[in-house]
Amino acid sequence: MDLAFDPRHGRLYSANYVSGDISVIDPASMSVIRTIDVPGKPTGVAIDPGNQRVFVSDYAGKVHVVDGKSGEVMASISVGGKPAEVALDSTRHRLFVASTANETVEVFDTKTNKRVRTLRLTSEPIAIAVDTDDGSLFVGVSFMTWRYQNPTSANQESPEYISSNGSDLAVDSGRQRLYAVHNALIVVRNLTTGASTTVDGVDKAATICLDEASRTAYLADPDTNRIWSVPLP
């Protein structure tokens, strides 16, 4: 179960592995207002609010590009084995796909749906998040979170160690904060100063996404399919 927030239309998207679909949720009432059927077993979701394209990773080795208005699959992109999370930088037209089987993050140009490079990691990626302010990519592997300053560069750089890793990551680009889910806590790291603090989250929450404007985190427990909203300081 993965989450994404559409700030333009105020909607929350949930990728549901078991039922094989995407739930569109009104966060004010936490009610499902629409269900979009997608091929395969969705493991991750990201949305481009400008054109309402929804990018859905499929465990079978695809990323499906879905028209958020009609629910139709516009394209299917072949990716590395067992893709997990996806992260989108709509400003730079880049889609990042974490592959657990290949221990990579693949980078795609969303204008052409072509792969532009592959980041090779030391172990399987657990979580990814992108800073749309400067284009840097955060990757959680094992118990560590690393930052790639230029993830689309032709030459793979040595990443910068940021912090211990959680089960999922999210970035508030405007406030320069990195959020990591650690059991019942959300660890908040100031990317400018390096200082960290914690916010009470929800027990057993495994995924996170942000509404940056309202400073709200949405957390999900894939075992129970429950979603919670948590105000952020």
Side-chain angles (χ1 to χ4, degrees), residues 105-147:
V105 175
E106 295 178 86
V107 188
F108 292 84
D109 183 337
T110 57
K111 292 184 293 185
T112 63
N113 292 336
K114 301 295 185 182
R115 184 187 295 106
V116 295
R117 72 159 305 177
T118 300
L119 294 172
R120 304 196 178 279
L121 312 175
T122 57
S123 60
E124 66 180 48
I126 298 171
I128 58 173
V130 64
D131 183 348
T132 57
D133 182 54
D134 64 7
S136 59
L137 179 71
F138 295 86
V139 181
V141 294
S142 299
F143 300 101
M144 298 173 286
T145 298
W146 302 88
R147 173 165 55 187

Coordinates of all heavy atoms in Angstrom, one line a residue, residues 105-147:
V105 N 17.6 2.0 -8.7 CA 16.6 3.0 -9.0 C 16.7 3.4 -10.4 O 17.8 3.9 -10.8 CB 16.7 4.2 -8.0 CG1 15.7 5.3 -8.4 CG2 16.6 3.8 -6.6
E106 N 15.7 3.2 -11.2 CA 15.7 3.5 -12.6 C 15.0 4.9 -12.8 O 14.1 5.3 -12.1 CB 14.9 2.5 -13.4 CG 15.6 1.1 -13.4 CD 14.8 0.1 -14.2 OE1 15.0 0.0 -15.4 OE2 14.0 -0.6 -13.6
V107 N 15.6 5.7 -13.7 CA 15.2 7.1 -13.9 C 14.6 7.1 -15.3 O 15.2 6.8 -16.3 CB 16.3 8.1 -13.8 CG1 15.8 9.5 -13.9 CG2 17.1 7.9 -12.5
F108 N 13.3 7.7 -15.5 CA 12.7 7.8 -16.8 C 12.3 9.2 -17.1 O 12.0 10.0 -16.2 CB 11.4 6.9 -16.8 CG 11.6 5.4 -16.7 CD1 11.9 4.8 -15.5 CD2 11.7 4.7 -17.8 CE1 12.1 3.4 -15.4 CE2 11.9 3.3 -17.8 CZ 12.1 2.7 -16.6
D109 N 12.3 9.5 -18.3 CA 11.8 10.8 -18.8 C 10.3 10.7 -19.1 O 9.9 9.9 -19.9 CB 12.6 11.2 -20.1 CG 12.2 12.5 -20.7 OD1 11.1 13.0 -20.4 OD2 13.0 13.1 -21.5
T110 N 9.5 11.4 -18.3 CA 8.1 11.2 -18.5 C 7.5 11.8 -19.7 O 6.3 11.6 -20.1 CB 7.4 11.8 -17.2 OG1 7.7 13.2 -17.1 CG2 7.8 11.1 -16.0
K111 N 8.3 12.6 -20.5 CA 7.8 13.1 -21.8 C 7.9 12.0 -22.8 O 7.1 12.0 -23.8 CB 8.6 14.3 -22.2 CG 8.4 15.6 -21.3 CD 9.2 16.8 -21.8 CE 10.7 16.6 -21.7 NZ 11.4 17.8 -22.1
T112 N 8.8 11.1 -22.7 CA 9.0 10.1 -23.7 C 8.8 8.7 -23.1 O 8.7 7.7 -23.9 CB 10.5 10.1 -24.3 OG1 11.4 9.9 -23.2 CG2 10.7 11.5 -24.9
N113 N 8.7 8.5 -21.8 CA 8.6 7.3 -21.1 C 9.9 6.4 -21.4 O 9.8 5.1 -21.2 CB 7.4 6.5 -21.5 CG 6.1 7.2 -21.0 OD1 6.2 7.9 -20.0 ND2 5.0 7.0 -21.6
K114 N 11.0 7.0 -21.7 CA 12.2 6.3 -21.9 C 13.1 6.3 -20.7 O 13.2 7.4 -20.0 CB 13.0 6.9 -23.1 CG 12.2 6.8 -24.4 CD 11.9 5.4 -24.9 CE 11.2 5.4 -26.3 NZ 10.9 4.0 -26.7
R115 N 13.9 5.2 -20.4 CA 14.8 5.2 -19.4 C 16.0 6.1 -19.7 O 16.6 6.0 -20.8 CB 15.3 3.8 -19.1 CG 16.2 3.6 -17.9 CD 16.8 2.2 -17.8 NE 15.7 1.2 -17.5 CZ 15.2 0.4 -18.4 NH1 15.7 0.4 -19.6 NH2 14.3 -0.5 -18.0
V116 N 16.5 6.9 -18.8 CA 17.6 7.8 -19.1 C 18.8 7.4 -18.3 O 20.0 7.7 -18.6 CB 17.3 9.3 -18.8 CG1 16.2 9.8 -19.8 CG2 16.8 9.5 -17.4
R117 N 18.6 6.7 -17.2 CA 19.8 6.1 -16.4 C 19.3 5.2 -15.3 O 18.1 5.1 -15.0 CB 20.6 7.3 -15.8 CG 20.0 8.0 -14.7 CD 21.1 8.7 -13.9 NE 22.1 7.7 -13.5 CZ 23.2 8.1 -12.8 NH1 23.5 9.3 -12.5 NH2 24.1 7.2 -12.5
T118 N 20.3 4.5 -14.8 CA 20.0 3.5 -13.7 C 21.0 3.8 -12.6 O 22.2 3.8 -12.8 CB 20.1 2.1 -14.2 OG1 19.2 1.9 -15.2 CG2 19.8 1.1 -13.0
L119 N 20.5 4.0 -11.4 CA 21.4 4.1 -10.2 C 21.5 2.7 -9.6 O 20.5 2.0 -9.2 CB 20.7 5.0 -9.1 CG 20.6 6.5 -9.5 CD1 19.8 7.2 -8.5 CD2 22.0 7.1 -9.7
R120 N 22.7 2.2 -9.4 CA 23.0 0.9 -8.8 C 23.3 1.1 -7.4 O 24.2 1.8 -7.0 CB 24.1 0.2 -9.6 CG 23.7 0.1 -11.1 CD 24.5 -0.9 -11.9 NE 24.1 -1.0 -13.3 CZ 23.0 -1.6 -13.7 NH1 22.3 -2.3 -12.8 NH2 22.7 -1.6 -15.0
L121 N 22.6 0.3 -6.5 CA 22.7 0.5 -5.1 C 23.5 -0.7 -4.5 O 23.8 -1.6 -5.2 CB 21.4 0.6 -4.5 CG 20.4 1.6 -5.1 CD1 19.0 1.5 -4.5 CD2 20.9 3.0 -5.1
T122 N 23.7 -0.6 -3.2 CA 24.4 -1.7 -2.5 C 23.5 -2.7 -1.9 O 23.9 -3.8 -1.5 CB 25.3 -1.1 -1.4 OG1 24.4 -0.4 -0.5 CG2 26.4 -0.2 -1.9
S123 N 22.2 -2.4 -1.8 CA 21.2 -3.3 -1.4 C 19.8 -2.8 -1.9 O 19.8 -1.8 -2.5 CB 21.2 -3.5 0.2 OG 20.9 -2.2 0.8
E124 N 18.8 -3.6 -1.6 CA 17.5 -3.2 -2.2 C 16.9 -2.0 -1.6 O 17.0 -1.7 -0.4 CB 16.5 -4.4 -2.0 CG 16.1 -4.7 -0.6 CD 15.1 -5.8 -0.5 OE1 15.4 -6.9 -1.2 OE2 14.1 -5.7 0.2
P125 N 16.4 -1.1 -2.4 CA 15.8 0.2 -1.9 C 14.5 -0.1 -1.2 O 13.6 -0.7 -1.7 CB 15.6 1.0 -3.2 CG 15.5 0.0 -4.3 CD 16.3 -1.2 -3.9
I126 N 14.3 0.5 0.0 CA 13.1 0.3 0.8 C 12.2 1.5 0.5 O 11.0 1.3 0.5 CB 13.5 0.2 2.3 CG1 14.3 -1.0 2.5 CG2 12.2 0.2 3.1 CD1 14.9 -1.1 3.9
A127 N 12.8 2.7 0.3 CA 11.9 3.9 0.1 C 12.7 4.9 -0.7 O 13.9 4.9 -0.7 CB 11.6 4.5 1.5
I128 N 11.9 5.7 -1.5 CA 12.5 6.8 -2.2 C 11.6 8.0 -2.1 O 10.4 7.9 -1.9 CB 12.8 6.4 -3.7 CG1 11.4 6.0 -4.4 CG2 13.8 5.4 -3.9 CD1 11.6 5.8 -5.9
A129 N 12.3 9.2 -2.2 CA 11.6 10.5 -2.2 C 12.4 11.5 -3.0 O 13.7 11.4 -2.9 CB 11.2 10.9 -0.8
V130 N 11.8 12.4 -3.7 CA 12.5 13.4 -4.4 C 12.2 14.8 -3.9 O 11.1 15.1 -3.5 CB 12.2 13.3 -5.9 CG1 10.7 13.6 -6.2 CG2 13.1 14.2 -6.8
D131 N 13.3 15.6 -3.9 CA 13.2 17.0 -3.5 C 13.0 17.8 -4.8 O 13.9 18.0 -5.6 CB 14.5 17.5 -2.8 CG 14.4 19.0 -2.4 OD1 13.5 19.7 -2.8 OD2 15.3 19.4 -1.6
T132 N 11.8 18.3 -5.1 CA 11.5 18.9 -6.4 C 12.1 20.3 -6.4 O 12.1 21.0 -7.5 CB 10.0 19.0 -6.6 OG1 9.4 19.7 -5.5 CG2 9.4 17.6 -6.7
D133 N 12.7 20.8 -5.3 CA 13.3 22.1 -5.3 C 14.6 22.1 -6.1 O 14.9 22.9 -6.9 CB 13.5 22.6 -3.9 CG 14.1 24.0 -3.8 OD1 13.6 24.9 -4.5 OD2 15.2 24.2 -3.2
D134 N 15.5 21.1 -5.7 CA 16.8 21.0 -6.4 C 17.0 19.7 -7.2 O 18.0 19.5 -7.8 CB 17.9 21.1 -5.3 CG 17.9 20.0 -4.3 OD1 17.2 19.0 -4.4 OD2 18.7 20.1 -3.3
G135 N 16.0 18.8 -7.2 CA 16.1 17.6 -8.0 C 16.8 16.5 -7.3 O 17.0 15.4 -8.0
S136 N 17.2 16.6 -6.1 CA 18.0 15.6 -5.4 C 17.0 14.4 -5.0 O 15.8 14.6 -4.8 CB 18.7 16.1 -4.2 OG 17.9 16.6 -3.3
L137 N 17.6 13.2 -4.9 CA 16.8 12.0 -4.7 C 17.3 11.4 -3.3 O 18.5 11.2 -3.1 CB 17.0 11.0 -5.8 CG 16.3 9.7 -5.6 CD1 14.8 9.9 -5.8 CD2 16.8 8.6 -6.6
F138 N 16.3 11.0 -2.5 CA 16.6 10.3 -1.2 C 16.3 8.9 -1.4 O 15.2 8.5 -1.8 CB 15.9 11.0 -0.1 CG 16.2 12.4 0.2 CD1 15.7 13.4 -0.5 CD2 17.2 12.7 1.1 CE1 16.0 14.8 -0.3 CE2 17.6 14.0 1.4 CZ 17.0 15.0 0.7
V139 N 17.2 8.0 -1.0 CA 17.0 6.6 -1.2 C 17.3 5.9 0.2 O 18.3 6.1 0.8 CB 17.9 6.0 -2.2 CG1 17.7 4.5 -2.4 CG2 17.7 6.7 -3.6
G140 N 16.3 5.1 0.7 CA 16.4 4.4 1.9 C 16.8 2.9 1.6 O 16.1 2.3 0.9
V141 N 18.0 2.5 2.1 CA 18.4 1.1 1.9 C 18.9 0.6 3.3 O 19.5 1.4 4.1 CB 19.6 1.0 0.9 CG1 19.2 1.4 -0.5 CG2 20.8 1.9 1.3
S142 N 18.5 -0.6 3.6 CA 18.8 -1.2 4.9 C 18.4 -0.2 6.0 O 17.3 0.1 6.1 CB 20.3 -1.5 5.0 OG 20.7 -2.5 4.0
F143 N 19.4 0.2 6.8 CA 19.1 1.1 7.9 C 19.6 2.5 7.7 O 19.8 3.3 8.6 CB 19.7 0.6 9.2 CG 19.2 -0.8 9.6 CD1 19.9 -1.9 9.3 CD2 17.9 -0.9 10.1 CE1 19.4 -3.2 9.7 CE2 17.4 -2.2 10.4 CZ 18.2 -3.3 10.2
M144 N 19.8 2.9 6.4 CA 20.4 4.2 6.1 C 19.7 4.9 5.0 O 19.1 4.3 4.1 CB 21.9 4.0 5.6 CG 22.8 3.4 6.7 SD 24.4 3.1 6.1 CE 24.1 1.6 5.1
T145 N 19.6 6.2 5.0 CA 19.1 7.1 4.0 C 20.2 7.9 3.3 O 21.0 8.5 4.0 CB 18.0 8.0 4.5 OG1 16.9 7.3 5.1 CG2 17.5 8.9 3.4
W146 N 20.3 7.8 2.0 CA 21.3 8.5 1.2 C 20.7 9.5 0.3 O 19.5 9.3 -0.1 CB 22.1 7.5 0.4 CG 22.8 6.4 1.2 CD1 22.2 5.2 1.6 CD2 24.1 6.4 1.8 NE1 23.1 4.5 2.3 CE2 24.3 5.2 2.5 CE3 25.1 7.4 1.7 CZ2 25.5 4.9 3.1 CZ3 26.3 7.1 2.4 CH2 26.5 5.9 3.1
R147 N 21.4 10.6 0.0 CA 21.0 11.6 -0.9 C 21.9 11.6 -2.1 O 23.1 11.8 -2.0 CB 20.9 13.0 -0.3 CG 20.6 14.1 -1.3 CD 20.2 15.4 -0.6 NE 21.2 15.9 0.3 CZ 21.0 16.9 1.1 NH1 19.8 17.6 1.1 NH2 21.9 17.3 1.9

